[in-house]
Amino acid sequence: MAIIASIFVALAALLHGYIFLMESVWWTRPATWKRFGVADQATADTTKPMAYNQGFYNLFLGLGAAIGLVLYWAGAVTVGTTLVLFTTACMVLAAAVLTTTGRGYWRPALIQGTLPLIGFVLFLFA
């Protein structure tokens, strides 16, 4: 069970790392801002500081989950589990908040929240 849980948590961490890249590094690329529903390049340029900051939140959550997995598998089970559960819970809660911003955000919320939710539940029973 711990291996399967770890796979889901690792995938959630990688996803949040990818979200970091899109928001903090690639935000002003048309392919990226269009994916996020931004209307035009001028709006992408204006919202770049907000996206940059938001991307780092995703990076920190992904790193927290990855570090938690490393600690868990290195033998620091309690600390690793705590960090994994905290970061995946934060990922799920952030996805839940995303659903409150409009119907158009349900799909991104599901993408952002499903892997960490599965990892969280599986880790509870690992």
Side-chain angles (χ1 to χ4, degrees), residues 1-3 5-6 64-86 122-126:
M1 179 80 76
I3 292 172
S6 295
I67 291 167
L69 288 174
V70 169
L71 291 170
Y72 178 87
W73 289 104
V77 175
T78 302
V79 175
T81 299
T82 301
L83 190 53
V84 164
L85 292 176
F86 176 75
L122 292 176
F123 237 90
L124 281 177
F125 299 105

Side-chain angles (χ1 to χ4, degrees), residues 90-107:
C90 287
M91 291 173 184
V92 172
L93 292 171
V97 169
L98 189 57
T99 66
T100 67
T101 58
R103 290 195 99 175
Y105 292 96
W106 279 79
R107 184 173 182 268

